[in-house]
Amino acid sequence: MTPTAVDVLVVGGGATGAAAAYDLARRGVRVLLVEQSDLSTGTSGRYHGLLHSGGRYAVGDPGTAAECITENRILRHIAPFAIEDTGGLFVATPDDPADHPARWVDACRAAGIDIDALTPAQARAQEPALTPHITAAYRVPDAACDSFDLVHGFVEAMRALCAHSTLCGDLLAYHRVIRLVTNDNSVVGAEVENVRTGDRQVIHAACVLNAAGPWAGMVAGLSGITVKVKLDRGTMVAMNTRWVNTIINRLRPADDGDIIVPVGTVAVLGTTSVTTNRPGDHHVENWEVSKILGEADAVIPGIRQGRALRAWAGVRPLYEPPDIDHGDTSGHGVQRRFAVIDHRVRDQLGGLVTVVGGKLTTCRLMAEEAVNVVCDQLGVDTPCTTAAEPLPLPAFRQQYHRLDHRLRKLEHGQLPGQLICECELVTRPQIEAAIAGYGDHPVALDDLRRDLRLGMGPCQSGFCSVRAAGILHEVKEHSNLKVTRALKDFVDERFRGVKPLLWGHQLRQLYLDELIYRRTLGLDRLIAPTPEERLDS
Amino acid sequence: MTDHDQPVYDLSGHTPLIEQAPLARQAAFSADHCLKCNICTAACPVAAVTPLFPGPKTVGPQAQRLREPGQPSPDHAVDYCSSCGICTLVCPHGVKVMEINTQAKARIVERDGLSLRNWFLSRNELWGRLGTPFAPLLNFGVRSRLLRLLAEKLFKVSARGPLPGWAGYTFRGWWQREQKQHPRPAQHDDSQRVVFFHGCSTNTYEPFIGKLAVAVLEHIGLHVEIPPQTCCGLPAQSNGDFDAARCYARHNIEALADYARRGIPIVGTSASCMTAIKGDYRHVLGLDDDDAQLVAVHTYDFMEFLWKLHQEGRLPTGFQPIEREYPYHAPCQLKAHGFGRPVLDVLSLIPGLKAWEIDADCCGIAGTYGYKAEKRAIAELVGWPLAEQVHAAGAGTVICDTETCRWQITALTGANTIHPVELVAAAYGLTITDKAYTPPVGE
């Protein structure tokens, strides 16, 4: 049962919120984490998978660079299960400013980032796919980080710490904060709404920590105060295979399409930077895909002829202090420092702290500083210890970022049962266990995707979703309509990510998937459209 | 030079050229094209008969995404791929499934080494030559049930695998003697020259096929050249021993490149050797240089070459009638050429002769696959539909282009098997002196 009174209500189940909830639990504070969707579905789940060395920010934003390298080392220590130590390279091409590498080297040294100069030949020996036209190359301590694993790691650690208590350590997923309860210039709780059922409940809390990322301005706004968050949409493209085994950064001032991250089975090419006014703006424009592929092709010739699996966008919540006017600089230029706003000081409103800005790499530090302020308000003086002790190994440890792990398990009989998702090697017993893990809560196929990578391979759910829907039907004993709706939601969501990539390989794939789901199964005729859908069309 | 002076090729050093070829052109990256449609899995003759092989899609493009680049695959099921290549042939999207699988096998061999048995099976060229002086003794051994069972126990070479017998002399040796006894006039016009690639089997087990091929080519009016050459490398390649396969391949490319540069066609009677030279050197072994491409372009399967000559009006058609009907099996390796069925085309020129294609994918032997004790039963099951059709037709003789397939068909059906060149030679009225050879038609 969900407690109705806790010490701290953390809003936002992304990396920062999860890290903060874990930090609070370590300090013995009764905490509840509320998330409007599933864990890691906002900015944290829509990121490229890079654990920054700080090299990207060394020149423009030395403070963030220094934070990144420190936190990089800490996360490697406390969450090794989420990290693949690919290492990173910064490479310059003849098109990049010739004076930049020298400045960058000095800035990295100043920030404390270990860099090794490589000859172009050494860089190509390490990554044969790199263009022969490299003018400079440096090795940096970048790594690939699976944000699903990291966030689950924080949440499971929080739950383990609170195992003895029914009063804290819970996660309330699919609940949106609709109202902040105030009393005498102080926030004393929040009313949350179950987004699936519409049920509402009030949760009393001595303090609310607003870690809602792009939605932070809206959450703060519920109490009538203003937090200006600059929403900056970035698009990423996942390629079907890794192409490289080292993270490749373009050695030039920050710009669109300057990174290639091998993570799990794919290589993620990123990113663009477009100002938006919607926190949930996940649309992808054609020019972005084309720009990203073009820039990647300059570093890895031929990659744009490879198979792009999916394009998606995430929204960076960049913080704009009220006293600084950035004009209309692009998001690449905005500093990535984060801010912890103590509304007791700034707005004379107690019981509310907002943390905004920053990077996934610095999520633990953001949580630490925000929780320090929260504890100050609560009168708790236990210091932060999250940097020292490794997180317990999550029970749900999949190691998706280790490439051949699943193949090895399948080969050695550790993945018994029918293979349901053939692309990402997900079996029937795994799906059944994941469904069971949700207990009485509703389960969407998309939740299983985040848990198991179901439907994330080349066919983008073409062959597995109907099988998984069948299992859902059996296990949960849902009505036919409900399962058909679940299937349609999942297939629609998967196809949405393919739509910006409709040429060559994915066009062929989507056409086959279309023939299966629309022409053969008639999926979109099985369900009467809702009134809104009718309006849309 | 006698053929015993041929160098025993150094099989040690290698450069992994596949790593140097542009990534997007490598077989591994063709996995990008896979739509998961399962056409390859449905067509795979091995997956159809054994649960030990999960199918070409599973071990091929699917597993490829989950393999660490440069690392051996943890996925040992790929060893049950016979490398017949039907998957690559049927894939409508251009995934080089067999090539991916073969390269995955090679990664495993790189780490774990080659088993003694597979090393042995990959060195048929060596055994052919070394065994020639001891032919009677070895042939006795090959035919001895007891010794074969012993070999199965000791080396895991199936006692039922249809091993050939040694001829007791080599084709190359015969050619040297033949040229001394009947010197051919020098030929300076390159357009009238042809290079014959005999392969290991013709050299040491079935030299009569080479003699017939030379007789046919000379009857056509071409000047035959037989430069020093070695094993095509396919057995080593199929067993994942890419070092050895590349070494053989390089030697052949070096020996043949000069002829190719001059536009002289290279023809061979073993369809699988010719597939290796035409395609595998580049697509599987990654030997993608100018010479390799040039040699590939100028290489023809024997019957493909005859049909090409016919289309150019250069093939004498004074064929004597052969009033016979034969079933024909097109080996998988021949299908991989992607040139139709030139055997049926050429044989249709012979009056009275009726050859029809057996509706079966694979005879099961797949080079050295069917000789492995643990895979023999699979090889027999794969070949069963073919055997059934031969039985149903009541055919006593089957035509087939590739030696191991012929031996397998004989083992499965008891039928006599012949290379199509035997019929062409017979129709031209050509005879050879070979006491071990009985022409398929005539007295």
Side-chain angles (χ1 to χ4, degrees):
Chain A
M1 198 194 121
T2 307
T4 52
V6 289
D7 294 329
V8 179
L9 181 69
V10 178
V11 182
T16 311
Y22 164 64
D23 193 338
L24 285 158
R26 280 191 77 91
R27 301 195 208 196
V29 175
R30 296 183 308 159
V31 60
L32 179 69
L33 179 61
V34 60
E35 160 59 41
Q36 62 174 342
S37 179
D38 193 5
L39 285 177
S40 228
T41 43
T43 310
S44 301
R46 300 179 155 273
Y47 102 123
H48 43 42
L50 171 64
L51 184 70
H52 275 281
S53 60
R56 170 56 60 221
Y57 305 110
V59 173
D61 189 353
T64 299
E67 281 170 7
C68 280
I69 187 62
T70 308
E71 290 300 311
N72 175 308
R73 292 179 188 131
I74 292 172
L75 286 184
R76 284 167 187 262
H77 173 61
I78 67 169
F81 56 84
I83 289 162
E84 180 186 357
D85 189 10
T86 57
L89 288 175
F90 270 77
V91 296
T93 72
D95 298 335
D96 300 327
D99 59 335
H100 187 72
R103 272 194 295 149
W104 178 83
V105 167
D106 291 342
C108 284
R109 298 228 163 95
I113 302 164
D114 300 325
I115 55 170
D116 284 326
L118 300 183
T119 63
Q122 286 171 322
R124 291 197 71 219
Q126 184 175 335
E127 286 302 342
L130 282 175
T131 170
H133 312 291
I134 298 172
T135 53
Y138 295 88
R139 190 180 285 144
V140 296
D142 284 340
C145 175
D146 186 311
S147 63
F148 296 113
D149 281 357
L150 180 67
V151 172
H152 276 276
F154 282 131
V155 170
E156 284 197 30
M158 167 190 75
R159 283 183 164 147
L161 286 166
C162 302
H164 58 280
S165 163
T166 53
L167 293 176
C168 79
D170 206 357
L171 160 71
L172 212 51
Y174 292 101
H175 279 70
R176 184 187 296 135
V177 173
I178 53 167
R179 183 168 67 90
L180 288 176
V181 184
T182 51
N183 182 14
D184 285 345
N185 285 335
S186 197
V187 174
V188 294
E191 185 174 10
V192 297
E193 181 184 71
N194 183 326
V195 296
R196 286 165 164 164
T197 61
D199 294 345
R200 294 178 178 189
Q201 73 183 106
V202 172
I203 293 164
H204 296 286
C207 188
V208 172
L209 174 57
N210 172 16
W215 287 269
M218 289 164 73
V219 171
L222 294 172
S223 63
I225 58 176
T226 305
V227 171
K228 272 180 82 181
V229 181
K230 185 179 167 75
L231 300 177
D232 187 58
R233 185 172 58 79
T235 290
M236 284 144 274
V237 177
M239 306 302 288
N240 186 35
T241 51
R242 280 166 67 118
W243 285 88
V244 286
N245 293 301
T246 312
I247 287 154
I248 309 293
N249 300 272
R250 191 84 171 262
L251 182 47
R252 66 177 184 199
D255 201 351
D256 289 345
D258 54 15
I259 186 137
I260 298 160
V261 185
V263 53
T265 43
V266 304
V268 178
L269 317 182
T271 49
T272 53
S273 174
V274 184
T275 301
T276 175
N277 51 14
R278 283 188 299 127
D281 182 2
H282 297 153
H283 88 282
V284 172
E285 290 179 16
N286 290 344
W287 70 264
E288 295 179 280
V289 171
S290 148
K291 173 92 181 165
I292 288 170
L293 288 173
E295 292 293 340
D297 205 66
V299 181
I300 300 182
I303 196 169
R304 69 180 310 161
Q305 282 130 49
R307 179 170 183 175
L309 275 192
R310 187 171 176 84
W312 71 94
V315 175
R316 304 177 185 94
L318 305 178
Y319 180 58
E320 285 184 291
D323 49 334
I324 298 176
D325 181 17
H326 282 290
D328 36 51
T329 50
S330 108
H332 288 305
V334 176
Q335 296 223 329
R336 300 296 156 85
R337 291 302 287 271
F338 61 89
V340 176
I341 306 165
D342 185 349
H343 296 287
R344 188 181 52 178
V345 176
R346 200 192 82 169
D347 306 292
Q348 290 74 50
L349 180 71
L352 181 66
V353 176
T354 295
V355 56
V356 70
K359 305 293 302 168
L360 184 123
T361 304
T362 58
C363 67
R364 192 214 57 87
L365 179 66
M366 293 162 68
E368 173 179 344
E369 295 194 8
V371 170
N372 285 344
V373 175
V374 169
C375 286
D376 185 40
Q377 291 204 11
L378 297 177
V380 173
D381 54 6
T382 321
C384 174
T385 55
T386 53
E389 200 182 313
L391 294 167
L393 212 55
F396 219 74
R397 184 183 177 224
Q398 302 292 344
Q399 287 210 339
Y400 289 133
H401 55 282
R402 296 297 312 174
L403 192 56
D404 69 355
H405 183 69
R406 278 167 281 168
L407 206 54
R408 205 175 287 279
K409 280 175 78 174
L410 194 68
E411 178 69 18
H412 296 289
Q414 294 161 18
L415 280 180
Q418 295 168 315
L419 202 55
I420 303 301
C421 170
E422 297 171 70
C423 304
E424 295 284 335
L425 304 187
V426 182
T427 62
R428 185 184 177 106
Q430 285 182 306
I431 292 179
E432 287 170 346
I435 295 172
Y438 285 89
D440 295 335
H441 294 288
V443 190
L445 290 175
D446 211 39
D447 295 332
L448 301 177
R449 171 183 74 82
R450 279 184 295 273
D451 293 340
L452 301 165
R453 291 190 66 85
L454 179 83
M456 288 177 87
C459 77
Q460 290 286 307
S461 86
F463 286 79
C464 65
S465 56
V466 67
R467 300 170 185 164
I471 295 172
L472 195 64
H473 182 62
E474 268 180 38
V475 175
K476 298 289 273 187
E477 296 179 347
H478 284 330
S479 69
N480 290 347
L481 182 70
K482 203 165 171 185
V483 169
T484 309
R485 169 68 75 180
L487 176 62
K488 183 175 185 306
D489 287 348
F490 187 56
V491 169
D492 284 350
E493 172 57 27
R494 290 284 88 198
F495 289 4
R496 203 168 63 81
V498 182
K499 278 178 187 160
L501 307 168
L502 287 190
W503 70 88
H505 304 306
Q506 283 311 68
L507 179 59
R508 278 195 285 268
Q509 183 74 60
L510 194 75
Y511 189 60
L512 179 62
D513 293 352
E514 164 98 9
L515 287 173
I516 295 172
Y517 287 99
R518 298 244 159 79
R519 307 284 173 91
T520 307
L521 295 180
L523 189 58
D524 45 358
R525 287 158 188 256
L526 292 178
I527 304 160
T530 62
E532 298 95 74
E533 283 168 346
R534 242 183 241 120
L535 275 180
D536 275 356
S537 59
Chain B
M1 173 174 119
T2 73
D3 67 342
H4 289 287
D5 297 333
Q6 278 189 43
V8 175
Y9 307 111
D10 174 20
L11 300 178
S12 55
H14 81 291
T15 321
L17 278 188
I18 191 82
E19 258 95 64
Q20 293 169 22
L23 272 175
R25 272 161 54 205
Q26 292 176 17
F29 271 80
S30 73
D32 261 10
H33 302 285
C34 177
L35 302 191
K36 308 269 157 183
C37 69
N38 276 325
I39 288 175
C40 61
T41 302
C44 175
V46 176
V49 299
T50 173
L52 294 170
F53 185 57
K57 179 184 78 165
T58 307
V59 301
Q62 203 153 284
Q64 185 60 29
R65 287 182 73 239
L66 296 147
R67 290 183 180 126
E68 297 274 3
Q71 295 294 310
S73 175
D75 173 25
H76 284 232
V78 73
D79 187 48
Y80 276 89
C81 165
S82 75
S83 291
C84 71
I86 289 176
C87 42
T88 299
L89 188 71
V90 299
C91 178
H93 311 292
V95 182
K96 299 206 173 298
V97 191
M98 178 275 285
E99 289 81 348
I100 291 172
N101 294 347
T102 308
Q103 288 172 359
K105 281 192 231 174
R107 289 290 190 196
I108 294 173
V109 168
E110 251 174 49
R111 182 193 56 187
D112 300 346
L114 200 61
S115 70
L116 182 66
R117 192 267 316 271
N118 288 3
W119 183 85
F120 178 87
L121 289 175
S122 306
R123 300 299 186 284
N124 48 325
E125 177 265 343
L126 193 64
W127 308 130
R129 277 191 301 114
L130 295 183
T132 293
F134 313 104
L137 191 64
L138 290 168
N139 291 346
F140 170 76
V142 164
R143 285 184 214 110
S144 157
R145 183 85 186 130
L146 191 69
L147 288 175
R148 289 295 299 275
L149 284 171
L150 195 66
E152 177 163 323
K153 279 272 173 275
L154 289 178
F155 305 113
K156 301 193 171 57
V157 174
S158 168
R160 300 201 302 276
L163 287 176
W166 278 260
Y169 68 98
T170 65
F171 170 70
R172 297 191 65 82
W174 167 81
W175 177 241
Q176 318 246 331
R177 288 191 297 277
E178 172 69 15
Q179 279 180 307
K180 265 189 208 134
Q181 285 164 15
H182 308 101
R184 270 65 171 172
Q187 174 58 261
H188 300 293
D189 179 2
D190 280 349
S191 71
Q192 297 303 310
R193 292 153 76 120
V194 64
V195 169
F196 181 59
F197 187 89
H198 49 70
C200 310
S201 168
T202 295
N203 195 31
T204 52
Y205 307 130
E206 299 179 331
F208 66 87
I209 291 184
K211 293 182 191 175
L212 289 166
V214 169
V216 168
L217 291 170
E218 291 189 335
H219 177 77
I220 292 166
L222 294 168
H223 179 86
V224 178
E225 308 241 356
I226 306 180
Q229 51 189 268
T230 184
C231 171
C232 65
L234 189 56
Q237 174 190 303
S238 298
N239 283 291
D241 186 357
F242 277 23
D243 286 1
R246 286 195 181 111
C247 190
Y248 284 131
R250 277 206 202 87
H251 185 88
N252 286 326
I253 292 169
E254 208 173 295
L256 301 172
D258 192 47
Y259 294 97
R261 257 189 291 279
R262 284 151 60 194
I264 301 174
I266 300 148
V267 304
T269 40
S270 172
S272 48
C273 302
M274 306 327 274
T275 317
I277 300 174
K278 269 188 183 181
D280 294 352
Y281 284 1
R282 289 177 297 157
H283 298 139
V284 180
L285 299 178
L287 301 171
D288 202 10
D289 55 22
D290 292 347
D291 279 357
Q293 289 190 32
L294 205 61
V295 169
V297 166
H298 287 89
T299 296
Y300 301 90
D301 172 71
F302 194 81
M303 302 306 279
E304 176 194 19
F305 181 66
L306 294 192
W307 186 246
K308 178 174 176 282
L309 290 180
H310 176 69
Q311 287 177 316
E312 290 167 1
R314 294 169 65 196
L315 187 75
T317 47
F319 291 114
Q320 299 165 15
I322 299 177
E323 298 291 343
R324 296 282 174 89
E325 179 180 328
Y326 299 104
Y328 166 65
H329 173 60
C332 307
Q333 303 287 356
L334 178 121
K335 291 171 188 150
H337 285 266
F339 55 28
R341 301 290 183 267
V343 172
L344 299 178
D345 295 334
V346 172
L347 295 185
S348 72
L349 301 174
I350 299 173
L353 185 65
K354 185 164 178 281
W356 52 274
E357 187 175 348
I358 300 168
D359 181 21
D361 284 330
C362 179
C363 71
I365 195 84
T368 60
Y369 187 84
Y371 291 101
K372 299 174 182 174
E374 76 280 9
K375 291 166 181 125
R376 182 63 203 163
I378 297 172
E380 287 169 352
L381 284 170
V382 168
W384 194 244
L386 183 150
E388 275 184 325
Q389 288 182 54
V390 173
H391 282 306
T397 302
V398 178
I399 311 170
C400 182
D401 313 67
T402 294
E403 52 281 346
T404 51
C405 301
R406 283 198 298 273
W407 304 335
Q408 167 84 342
I409 294 168
T410 297
L412 290 178
T413 63
N416 180 34
T417 45
I418 56 171
H419 190 284
V421 73
E422 298 180 41
L423 291 168
V424 175
Y428 277 141
L430 303 170
T431 52
I432 54 164
T433 47
D434 191 317
K435 57 184 185 297
Y437 178 60
T438 320
V441 285
E443 47 292 314

